[in-house]
C-alpha cells in the first residue's frame, strides 16, 4: 500500500555537485559530546553491517509465491521470518489476530448495449516473468470489502471520481443516480471513488488504470519496460479507512478470539455499492461507446479515441459476490530490552503480506528492515546495549486495511500510551530520494539522521541529495508559479533561500495508507515514515507483475538502496534508544502549525468567495441543461453566504505553543553548553516522560467528527482523500464541506489541543531547567 504519496521522477539533478560526502556532525541532539562520540562509533560499526546480497536473497525467498492474508505462503513466510530472527539470537514471537477478509467468488462486467462485450478480469502470464504463471495461488483482480451486488445501469465517466469531478458533472447537468460510474485510478485513494459515487446515487463503480497515468503514455510497458501493460490491474482494498482501519468487525479493540464482534450488517467501513477494478484493455469498449458531452480537457486520458461523459449509450451489468470469511493475520514481534530505560519503547515496522508476490510492495522495504535488525543483532553480540527497549515488527494484513498493525496497536493500546517513544515505519523501497515524512516534533531529528547516511549512487549525504531536489523544485515554482503541484501546499514547499541557508528540510505530514496510522492517528505516538523513492517509476503496483523479476530489472536491482534503508532506520532507532534527552524539537512543530493556521484562513476566504461566485453563475444561467431531453432541467439552488469565521481560538493556541517552544529551546541550549555536560550528569527521566506525552496531548478521546477512532487533532487522512493528509482536520474539513457551525466548534477543539501541547512543553522545559541547574 506504499503509493499513497508518489514522488515525481527526476532523471537528473540540474546542479553540479562539487562536494563529496558531508563529514558527520560532531554534536548529536540529546547527547553530551562524550556520549555522542561513543554513539557515533557504534553507529559507524552498525552502518558497515547491512549487505545488499542478503537483502536480495531475502526478497527472492519472500516473494517467490503469492502471500496474501490467509494464504499458505503468507503463513510460511511468517514462520520463516520468526525462525530467521531467532537464528540471529533475538527474542521473537508471533501474535495472531482473527479478522474479516472477503475474497471473490463471482465477478462479472458485461457491456450490454450498444454492443456486447465481456471483460476478461484476468492478468495474463508473461513468458519472461517466471512467477506470473502462479494463477491458482493468485488473488483474482478485485477490490476487497466491496459490497456484494448484481446491478445494471447506464455508464457515466466521472474522471477520477473525486468530489470536484461531481461538481463538474453538475455544471454539465449530468446525474449519476441509478447509473454505474467508471473512474480512473489516481488523485485519491481508490476507496474514495465508490464512496463518493454512492453518495451521488450511483449503483455500481468500476475503476480502471488509464495509460495516461499508469501505462504506455508514461513509457514502455512490461515486460519491455516498467509500466502497466494493457491487461494489468490494480487490486486494492476499498474499506472506508478514513472512518477506521483494521478489522471491520472489531473497531477500537484487538481482534482477539474473545473480542466482541459486530454483525456484518452493522459494519460502517464496507462500500455501499459494488466495485471492481479493471484493466485499460477491458475499459476500452466501455468508454469508446459512451456518448454525451466530450469531456473537459483535463479529464482526457490516453486511450485512442475521444472521451465522452455519457450517460450511455453504454449499458453495463456488474456482479460482485464475495466469501465473507475470517482469516488469521500473523504479526512477528521482536523485543530487545533496554538496559537503562526498559519502560521506554522505540518501535519499528514494515509489513510482510502482499496482494500477490509483492516484491516492491512491501518486500523491498521489509528486506531493508531485516538487514537493519540483523545489524542490530550483530552489535548486541559486540557488546552494544540499547538504553531503551527496541520493538521490531513485521506486520501482516496491511494491504487489506492495515489489519495486523491496527489490531496489535489496539490490543496493546494502554501499554503503548504509557511506554512508546516513537514509531518508525517503512512500506516498500526503491531508488532515489529519502522520504522525509512524519511528526514535526521529529523534524530536526530526521534531518540529522539523513545527514549521516551516504547516498549509494551520488556519494553525497542523502540529506544533501534531498536538498538539491527541493531547490530544483522551488526554482521551478518560482519560474512557473501556475504549474505548481495541485492540492494543499506541502510543508516541504520551502523557498530557495530558506533551503540554501536554514539547514533544515521540512517534513511532510502523515495522513494514512500504511502501518503508522494506528500509532499516530489513534494513539498519539510520534511517527516517521521512511524509504527511498523517485527514480524507478512503474505500473505494476498491486498486480501479478510486482515480483522479483520486475524489481531486479526495473528498480533497485543491486539492492544498494535496501542497504541505505537499513542504515537509515537503524541509525534512527539507535539514536532514539540511546539519547539521554529524547531528541524532539518543538520549534519545528510550532512553525508547521503556523503554516496550517495560515492555510485555514486562506481556505475559509476562498470557500466563501467560491459560494459568492457560484451564486453569480446561477443568476446568470451559466449551468447547462441536462443532456437527457426527456428530463426537465432544474437549475441548482443558491447557497447562503457564510459568516466570517473567527480564528482567535487557534491564534491564541498558536501563540501559547510558540512561547512554550521558545522556552524549551532556551532550556535546551543551556543544557547543551560545555559539551552538554549537564545532560551526562543529570537525571532526565522527568523531562523524557513529558516529551513522550507531547504527541498524546494532540489527541482528544472523542476524535474527529463522525470518526471517533481518529483522535489526533493535528494530522489525519482526509475523509475524501483516504491517504492524503488533512492538517488540523476537524477545522479544515468542516470548511471544505461548508459546515460552518462545525468549523467553529472544531476551532475550539483544535485550540484546546494546542493549549494542552503548550502546557506539556512548558512542563518539559521547567523539568529540563531544573535538571540542569
Amino acid at each position: 500500500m506504499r503509493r499513497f504519496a508518489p514522488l515525481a521522477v527526476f532523471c537528473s539533478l540540474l546542479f553540479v555537485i562539487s562536494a563529496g560526502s558531508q563529514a558527520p556532525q560532531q554534536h548529536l541532539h540529546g547527547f553530551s559530546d562524550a556520549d555522542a562520540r561513543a554513539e557515533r562509533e557504534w553507529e559507524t560499526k552498525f552502518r558497515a553491517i547491512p549487505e545488499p546480497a542478503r537483502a536480495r536473497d531475502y526478497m527472492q525467498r519472500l516473494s517467490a509465491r503469492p502471500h496474501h492474508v490467509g494464504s499458505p505462503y503468507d503463513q510460511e513466510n511468517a514462520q520463516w521470518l520468526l525462525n530467521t530472527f531467532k537464528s540471529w539470537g533475538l527474542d521473537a514471537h508471533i501474535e495472531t489476530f482473527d479478522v474479516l477478509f472477503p475474497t471473490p467468488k463471482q465477478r462479472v462486467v458485461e457491456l450490454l448495449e450498444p454492443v456486447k462485450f465481456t471483460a476478461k478480469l484476468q492478468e495474463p502470464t508473461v513468458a519472461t516473468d517466471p512467477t506470473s504463471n502462479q494463477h491458482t495461488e493468485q488473488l483474482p483482480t478485485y477490490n476487497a470489502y466491496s459490497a456484494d451486488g448484481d446491478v445494471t445501469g447506464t455508464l457515466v465517466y466521472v474522471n477520477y471520481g473525486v468530489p470536484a469531478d461531481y461538481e463538474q458533472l453538475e455544471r454539465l447537468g449530468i446525474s449519476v443516480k441509478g447509473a454505474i460510474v467508471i473512474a480512473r485510478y489516481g488523485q485519491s485513494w481508490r476507496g474514495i471513488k465508490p464512496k463518493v459515487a454512492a453518495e451521488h446515487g450511483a449503483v455500481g463503480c468500476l475503476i480502471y488504470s488509464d495509460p495516461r497515468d499508469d501505462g504506455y503514455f508514461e513509457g514502455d510497458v512490461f515486460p519491455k519496460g516498467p509500466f502497466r501493460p494493457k491487461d494489468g490491474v490494480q487490486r486494492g482494498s476499498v474499506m472506508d479507512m478514513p472512518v477506521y482501519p483494521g478489522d471491520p468487525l472489531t473497531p477500537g479493540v484487538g481482534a482477539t478470539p474473545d473480542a466482541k464482534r459486530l454483525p456484518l450488517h452493522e459494519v460502517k467501513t464496507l462500500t455501499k455499492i459494488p466495485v471492481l477494478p479493471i484493466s485499460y484493455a477491458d475499459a476500452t469498449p466501455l468508454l469508446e461507446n459512451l456518448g454525451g458531452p466530450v469531456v473537459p480537457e483535463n479529464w482526457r486520458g490516453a486511450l485512442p479515441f475521444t472521451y465522452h461523459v455519457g450517460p450511455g449509450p453504454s449499458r453495463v451489468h456488474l456482479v460482485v459476490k464475495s466469501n465473507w470469511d475470517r482469516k488469521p493475520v500473523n504479526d512477528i514481534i521482536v523485543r530487545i530490552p533496554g538496559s537503562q530505560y526498559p519502560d521506554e519503547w522505540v518501535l519499528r515496522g514494515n509489513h510482510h503480506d502482499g496482494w500477490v508476490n509483492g516484491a516492491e510492495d512491501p518486500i523491498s522495504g521489509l528486506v531493508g528492515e531485516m538487514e537493519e535488525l540483523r545489524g542490530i543483532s550483530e552489535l548486541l553480540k559486540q557488546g552494544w546495549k540499547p538504553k531503551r527497549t527496541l520493538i521490531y515488527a513485521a506486520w501482516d494484513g496491511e494491504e487489506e486495511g492495515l489489519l495486523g498493525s491496527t489490531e496489535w496497536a489496539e490490543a496493546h493500546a494502554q501499554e503503548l500510551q504509557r511506554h512508546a517513544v516513537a514509531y518508525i515505519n517503512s512500506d516498500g523501497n526503491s531508488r532515489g530520494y529519502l522520504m522525509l515524512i512524519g511528526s514535526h516534533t521529529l523534524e530536526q531529528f530526521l534531518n540529522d539522521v539523513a545527514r549521516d547516511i551516504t547516498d549509494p549512487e551520488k556519494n553525497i549525504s542523502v540529506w544533501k541529495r534531498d536538498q538539491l531536489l527541493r531547490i530544483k523544485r522551488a526554482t521551478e515554482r518560482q519560474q512557473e508559479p501556475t504549474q505548481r503541484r495541485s492540492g494543499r501546499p506541502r510543508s516541504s514547499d520551502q523557498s530557495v533561500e530558506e533551503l540554501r541557508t536554514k539547514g533544515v528540510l521540512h517534513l511532510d505530514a502523515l495522513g494514512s495508507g500504511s502501518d503508522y496510522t494506528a500509532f499516530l492517528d489513534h494513539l498519539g505516538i510520534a511517527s516517521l515514515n521512511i524509504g527511498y523513492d523517485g527514480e524507478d517509476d512503474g505500473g505494476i503496483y498491486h498486480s501479478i507483475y510486482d515480483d522479483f523479476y520486475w524489481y531486479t530489472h526495473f528498480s533497485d536491482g543491486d539492492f544498494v538502496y535496501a542497504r541505505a534503508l537499513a542504515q537509515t532506520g537503524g541509525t534512527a532507532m539507535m539514536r532514539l534508544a540511546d539519547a539521554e534527552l529524547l531528541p524532539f524539537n518543538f520549534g519545528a512543530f510550532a512553525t508547521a502549525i503556523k503554516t496550517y493556521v495560515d492555510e485555514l484562513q486562506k481556505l475559509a476566504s476562498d470557500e466563501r468567495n467560491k459560494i459568492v461566485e457560484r451564486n453569480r453563475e446561477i443568476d446568470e444561467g451559466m449551468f447547462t441543461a441536462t443532456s437527457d431531453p426527456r428530463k426537465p432541467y432544474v437549475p441548482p439552488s443558491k447557497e447562503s453566504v457564510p459568516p466570517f469565521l473567527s480564528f482567535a481560538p487557534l491564534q491564541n493556541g498558536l501563540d501559547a505553543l510558540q512561547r512554550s517552544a521558545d522556552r524549551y529551546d532556551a532550556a535546551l541550549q543551556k543544557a547543551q553548553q560545555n559539551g552538554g555536560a549537564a545532560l551526562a550528569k543529570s537525571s532526565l527521566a522527568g523531562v523524557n516522560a513529558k516529551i513522550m506525552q507531547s504527541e498524546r496531548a494532540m489527541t482528544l478521546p472523542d476524535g474527529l467528527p463522525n470518526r471517533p477512532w481518529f483522535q489526533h487533532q493535528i494530522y489525519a487522512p482526509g475523509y475524501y482523500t483516504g491517504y492524503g493528509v488533512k492538517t488540523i482536520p476537524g477545522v479544515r474539513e468542516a470548511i471544505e464541506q461548508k459546515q460552518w457551525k462545525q468549523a467553529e466548534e472544531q476551532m475550539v477543539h483544535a485550540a484546546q489541543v494546542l493549549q494542552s501541547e503548550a502546557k506539556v512543553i512548558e512542563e518539559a522545559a521547567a523539568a529540563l531547567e531544573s535538571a540542569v541547574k
Side-chain angles (χ1 to χ4, degrees):
M1 206 179 276
R2 67 186 286 258
R3 293 196 175 176
F4 54 91
L7 291 175
V9 177
F10 290 87
C11 296
S12 63
L13 294 174
L14 301 183
F15 298 87
V16 176
I17 301 169
S18 57
S21 296
Q22 287 181 243
Q25 301 167 283
Q26 294 307 306
H27 173 70
L28 279 181
H29 287 84
F31 293 81
S32 67
D33 286 357
D35 283 348
R37 283 192 292 273
E39 174 70 15
R40 288 192 179 281
E41 288 175 2
W42 281 115
E43 288 179 7
T44 299
K45 291 179 181 179
F46 163 77
R47 289 195 287 270
I49 295 171
E51 299 175 13
R54 286 179 180 265
R56 179 188 177 92
D57 290 344
Y58 303 153
M59 176 180 283
Q60 192 163 20
R61 165 62 177 79
L62 289 163
S63 66
R65 307 204 73 82
H67 52 100
H68 56 272
V69 161
S71 66
Y73 205 68
D74 186 53
Q75 297 187 56
E76 283 187 38
N77 276 350
Q79 190 62 48
W80 181 81
L81 288 164
L82 177 68
N83 294 340
T84 299
F85 297 153
K86 285 184 174 182
S87 74
W88 296 340
L90 298 167
D91 177 10
H93 67 279
I94 290 178
E95 293 190 37
T96 300
F97 299 93
D98 187 28
V99 301
L100 179 70
F101 177 46
T103 52
K105 62 181 179 182
Q106 186 178 7
R107 300 166 301 133
V108 175
V109 176
E110 298 175 306
L111 180 62
L112 304 178
E113 299 174 12
V115 296
K116 302 287 188 182
F117 169 76
T118 300
K120 289 183 293 187
L121 305 180
Q122 185 175 0
E123 295 175 300
T125 297
V126 170
T128 58
D129 184 350
T131 63
S132 63
N133 65 355
Q134 299 166 339
H135 295 302
T136 60
E137 299 175 64
Q138 295 164 354
L139 276 176
T141 57
Y142 84 117
N143 289 130
Y145 303 103
S146 163
D148 285 350
D150 184 334
V151 296
T152 301
T154 56
L155 193 67
V156 178
Y157 173 61
V158 295
N159 193 30
Y160 292 110
V162 297
D165 294 324
Y166 286 87
E167 292 177 6
Q168 180 65 45
L169 289 173
E170 182 185 35
R171 293 177 181 277
L172 295 171
I174 293 173
S175 170
V176 302
K177 189 172 183 179
I180 293 174
V181 303
I182 183 167
R184 53 177 168 158
Y185 270 114
Q187 298 297 309
S188 76
W189 171 61
R190 74 186 72 81
I192 299 304
K193 302 170 193 294
K195 177 178 181 173
V196 179
E199 290 175 351
H200 286 80
V203 297
C205 178
L206 299 171
I207 313 175
Y208 81 103
S209 301
D210 196 284
R212 186 177 195 90
D213 309 302
D214 192 11
Y216 56 72
F217 185 86
E218 296 293 327
D220 289 329
V221 301
F222 188 73
K224 182 180 179 181
F227 292 95
R228 193 176 301 273
K230 63 185 179 66
D231 292 307
V233 181
Q234 183 189 139
R235 294 156 183 79
S237 175
V238 289
M239 180 196 297
D240 199 355
M241 286 188 286
V243 175
Y244 63 87
D247 176 34
L249 303 180
T250 58
V253 298
T256 55
D258 59 347
K260 183 179 179 180
R261 286 172 165 78
L262 297 174
L264 198 59
H265 68 272
E266 291 184 13
V267 173
K268 296 181 178 179
T269 54
L270 308 182
T271 67
K272 302 298 188 292
I273 58 175
V275 54
L276 270 182
I278 60 176
S279 65
Y280 55 85
D282 279 343
T284 293
L286 279 60
L287 290 168
E288 67 182 352
N289 282 289
L290 279 176
V294 173
V295 303
E297 183 177 354
N298 61 352
W299 285 35
R300 297 170 192 172
L303 291 171
F305 49 78
T306 301
Y307 284 61
H308 292 262
V309 177
S314 293
R315 185 170 176 81
V316 172
H317 177 216
L318 168 64
V319 181
V320 178
K321 292 185 180 178
S322 294
N323 299 297
W324 293 88
D325 300 326
R326 279 159 50 181
K327 300 289 185 182
V329 294
N330 298 298
D331 296 333
I332 303 92
I333 308 297
V334 175
R335 179 183 290 264
I336 302 170
S339 60
Q340 295 185 29
Y341 317 114
D343 290 335
E344 297 178 10
W345 302 350
V346 184
L347 300 105
R348 174 81 169 91
N350 195 106
H351 70 103
H352 67 82
D353 67 294
W355 275 110
V356 196
N357 297 75
E360 182 188 44
D361 181 12
I363 301 303
S364 60
L366 180 62
V367 299
E369 185 192 16
M370 289 180 68
E371 272 301 272
E372 172 187 334
L373 186 51
R374 188 181 69 84
I376 294 291
S377 74
E378 291 297 317
L379 286 196
L380 294 171
K381 295 170 187 175
Q382 296 175 33
W384 177 72
K385 295 180 180 179
K387 294 177 181 177
R388 294 181 176 85
T389 295
L390 303 182
I391 297 176
Y392 277 80
W395 307 115
D396 198 0
E398 189 271 357
E399 294 294 1
E400 293 75 17
L402 319 182
L403 302 177
S405 59
T406 299
E407 299 315 307
W408 190 85
E410 290 175 342
H412 297 277
Q414 292 184 353
E415 297 171 273
L416 289 166
Q417 288 180 319
R418 287 196 303 269
H419 301 303
V421 172
Y423 172 71
I424 300 177
N425 189 70
S426 55
D427 185 353
N429 192 58
S430 58
R431 297 175 55 248
Y433 306 90
L434 175 64
M435 294 185 290
L436 298 175
I437 311 173
S439 299
H440 287 91
T441 52
L442 294 173
E443 181 171 283
Q444 182 66 59
F445 168 76
L446 187 54
N447 271 256
D448 291 346
V449 170
R451 285 188 173 91
D452 287 340
I453 309 300
T454 300
D455 184 274
E457 292 184 347
K458 303 299 182 184
N459 199 33
I460 56 175
S461 74
V462 299
W463 184 92
K464 186 65 176 178
R465 194 174 184 204
D466 269 30
Q467 181 204 33
L468 292 173
L469 174 64
R470 293 188 185 205
I471 290 172
K472 178 180 185 294
R473 287 175 169 172
T475 302
E476 290 171 346
R477 289 198 304 271
Q478 288 180 346
Q479 295 171 347
E480 300 287 345
T482 61
Q483 299 299 314
R484 73 172 294 159
R485 189 171 48 252
S486 63
R488 187 191 62 77
R490 304 180 346 155
S491 61
S492 58
D493 285 349
Q494 296 166 267
S495 69
V496 173
E497 180 183 5
E498 183 181 2
L499 286 164
R500 285 176 171 161
T501 60
K502 296 296 184 183
V504 175
L505 306 178
H506 290 336
L507 303 191
D508 285 328
L510 286 168
S512 184
S514 196
D515 289 309
Y516 54 79
T517 303
F519 298 95
L520 177 66
D521 295 326
H522 186 56
L523 299 179
I525 296 167
S527 298
L528 296 171
N529 193 62
I530 61 173
Y532 290 83
D533 199 4
E535 290 195 334
D536 71 341
D537 213 3
I540 46 72
Y541 179 61
H542 289 186
S543 76
I544 67 172
Y545 312 117
D546 178 5
D547 56 19
F548 187 75
Y549 178 89
W550 183 93
Y551 193 83
T552 53
H553 283 74
F554 299 110
S555 189
D556 182 25
D558 52 10
F559 289 83
V560 293
Y561 281 94
R563 179 178 59 198
L565 176 59
Q567 293 170 332
T568 306
T571 300
M573 292 291 286
M574 292 176 67
R575 221 165 264 189
L576 284 170
D578 288 344
E580 293 296 335
L581 178 67
L582 289 173
F584 284 47
N585 178 271
F586 301 107
F589 177 68
T591 298
I593 293 297
K594 182 179 186 308
T595 298
Y596 300 149
V597 172
D598 290 345
E599 289 174 5
L600 289 174
Q601 290 178 292
K602 183 178 186 304
L603 176 65
S605 175
D606 289 348
E607 289 297 322
R608 192 176 190 278
N609 291 339
K610 281 166 62 176
I611 291 172
V612 171
E613 177 64 15
R614 183 177 182 275
N615 288 346
R616 182 190 66 78
E617 290 178 351
I618 292 171
D619 287 339
E620 296 180 6
M622 296 178 68
F623 283 72
T624 63
T626 177
S627 58
D628 187 345
R630 296 169 296 179
K631 297 180 181 178
Y633 174 59
V634 179
S637 57
K638 294 169 64 174
E639 296 181 57
S640 299
V641 178
F644 290 100
L645 296 175
S646 170
F647 283 84
L650 273 183
Q651 290 165 329
N652 288 332
L654 172 61
D655 180 66
L657 180 66
Q658 289 174 321
R659 284 186 280 106
S660 65
D662 289 344
R663 181 180 175 184
Y664 185 85
D665 285 347
L668 181 59
Q669 288 179 7
K670 183 177 179 182
Q672 291 172 335
Q673 292 174 357
N674 301 315
L679 297 177
K681 69 180 183 181
S682 303
S683 173
L684 300 174
V687 187
N688 288 333
K690 292 297 180 183
I691 291 172
M692 286 170 60
Q693 293 301 311
S694 62
E695 200 84 20
R696 310 304 188 260
M698 302 178 207
T699 67
L700 290 177
D702 292 339
L704 296 174
N706 304 314
R707 43 184 183 147
W709 189 92
F710 284 90
Q711 297 187 1
H712 209 295
Q713 302 296 303
I714 305 301
Y715 314 121
Y719 193 74
Y720 288 107
T721 60
Y723 287 176
V725 67
K726 295 290 182 178
T727 51
I728 315 185
V731 180
R732 187 180 297 273
E733 294 195 310
I735 294 171
E736 290 173 343
Q737 296 165 22
K738 302 172 186 177
Q739 302 290 328
W740 309 110
K741 185 174 185 299
Q742 186 177 92
E744 291 182 340
E745 294 168 352
Q746 290 299 308
M747 202 95 68
V748 174
H749 293 168
Q752 177 185 339
V753 300
L754 293 183
Q755 295 284 358
S756 297
E757 177 72 357
K759 184 174 183 293
V760 170
I761 298 170
E762 283 280 342
E763 291 170 349
L768 182 58
E769 290 164 353
S770 177
V772 299
K773 280 182 180 177

